[in-house]
């Protein structure tokens, strides 16, 4: 059995490729690459075919993650046929995905940070569940993205391992 995860932001050049690279690294570390599949996509088509933003690649590389081989693509309605988890970086991305999602989708469409180990008691669609878009900001935003997606990757992987009874 393969559990399939799609991580989604707006452009698929900053947040979701960072989440993709971090989650993929966790799968490799735990020997789960055959059992869990991950991809990322954007709700917008602006950057289709491009590498991640050089600032995302550089920030990730500093923390030991290689994003350089990833290429942007746009999310499609058919993705809901394939993926068990479709997880958005912010509430705007989630609203776009909800509009695209077939009514009978049997998987989990949610915010990525709902799985975060760093969430504590905070709940609801408040700021703590958003991965802030770093595209127009300063360099710190890119490092912040990494911290947030590391916490969510750890939480999501624990959830998947226990829910689907996976063994490394
Ligand atoms: P992302 O960031 O959604 O994290 O990939 C953005 C990338 C590009 C743009 C906006 C956000 N843009 O406006 O081109």
């Amino acid at each position: 059995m393969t559990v399939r995860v799609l991580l989604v932001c707006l452009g698929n050049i900053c947040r979701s490729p960072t989440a993709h690279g971090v989650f993929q690294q966790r799968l490799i570390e735990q020997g789960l690459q055959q059992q869990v599949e991950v991809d990322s996509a954007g709700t917008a088509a602006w950057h289709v075919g491009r590498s991640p933003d050089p600032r995302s690649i550089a920030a990730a590389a500093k923390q030991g993650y290689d994003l350089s081989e990833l290429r942007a693509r746009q999310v499609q309605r058919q993705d809901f046929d394939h993926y068990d988890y479709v997880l958005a970086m912010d509430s705007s991305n989630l609203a776009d995905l909800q509009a695209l999602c077939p009514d009978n989708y049997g998987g989990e469409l949610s915010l990525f940070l709902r799985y975060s180990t760093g969430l504590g008691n905070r709940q609801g669609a408040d700021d703590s569940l958003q991965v802030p878009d770093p595209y127009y900001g300063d360099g710190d935003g890119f490092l912040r993205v990494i911290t947030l997606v590391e916490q969510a990757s750890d939480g999501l992987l624990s959830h998947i391992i226990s829910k689907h009874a996976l063994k490394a």
Side-chain angles (χ1 to χ4, degrees), residues 9-17 42 46-47 53 89 93 132-136:
C9 64
L10 177 59
N12 193 210
I13 57 168
C14 299
R15 293 166 293 174
S16 62
W46 307 316
H47 302 285
D53 189 301
M89 296 299 129
N93 310 146
D133 184 349
Y135 188 68
Y136 293 107

Side-chain angles (χ1 to χ4, degrees), residues 53-97:
D53 189 301
R55 297 167 294 174
S56 292
I57 292 179
K62 268 192 198 161
Q63 308 298 317
Y65 305 107
D66 181 11
L67 309 185
S68 64
E69 300 300 314
L70 302 177
R71 296 294 177 270
R73 74 171 180 89
Q74 188 176 28
V75 68
Q76 299 178 346
R77 194 172 162 85
Q78 296 91 292
D79 283 319
F80 291 100
D81 299 336
H82 186 75
Y83 291 97
D84 304 295
Y85 294 83
V86 178
L87 301 175
M89 296 299 129
D90 68 29
S91 295
S92 168
N93 310 146
L94 180 60
D96 289 340
L97 289 167

Side-chain angles (χ1 to χ4, degrees), residues 17-33:
T18 304
H20 182 168
V22 168
F23 192 69
Q24 181 71 54
Q25 184 68 33
R26 295 291 189 270
L27 295 179
I28 292 167
E29 285 162 9
Q30 304 226 15
L32 289 169
Q33 315 96 291

